[in-house]
Amino acid sequence: MIDARTLLTVLAALSIASPALAESPYPKPTRDGRERIQRTGTCPTGFIGKGAFCEALHQDTPHAFPVIAGKACPSGTFRSGDACKAFR
């Protein structure tokens, strides 16, 4: 049986070793109101790569979110780069 201290140590090591897993897939706004999404490859049109994120060029850029591997984009969106992007 594993004691609580060992379990906490293992969980802490896993969270430190894989910070990308802790990143939220949901968009985060910048200070000036533009959308910022987690970068999973190529940024969609209307977004520019900035480190680990894709940042919208304008405040009115349609919303985007990382595509789920092996799945089609939901209705009302289209594939752009490695993301699904909303129609206007």
Side-chain angles (χ1 to χ4, degrees), residues 5 7 13 15 27-28 31 36 38-39 43 46 49 55 61 69-71 74-76 80 86-87:
R5 176 178 265 170
L7 182 61
S15 66
K28 301 172 195 79
R31 287 186 184 165
R36 179 185 293 161
Q38 184 68 31
R39 189 175 190 170
C43 293
E55 198 169 285
T61 299
K71 301 289 184 183
S75 63
S80 178
F87 291 112

Side-chain angles (χ1 to χ4, degrees), residues 61-65 75-78 84-88:
T61 299
H63 297 290
F65 53 92
S75 63
T77 63
F78 65 97
C84 293
K85 187 174 173 186
F87 291 112
R88 282 258 172 217

Side-chain angles (χ1 to χ4, degrees), residues 14-29 36-40 50-54 65-66:
L14 287 174
S15 66
I16 291 171
S18 57
L21 295 176
E23 291 292 333
S24 172
Y26 300 107
K28 301 172 195 79
R36 179 185 293 161
I37 61 172
Q38 184 68 31
R39 189 175 190 170
T40 57
K50 291 198 172 187
F53 297 97
C54 293
F65 53 92

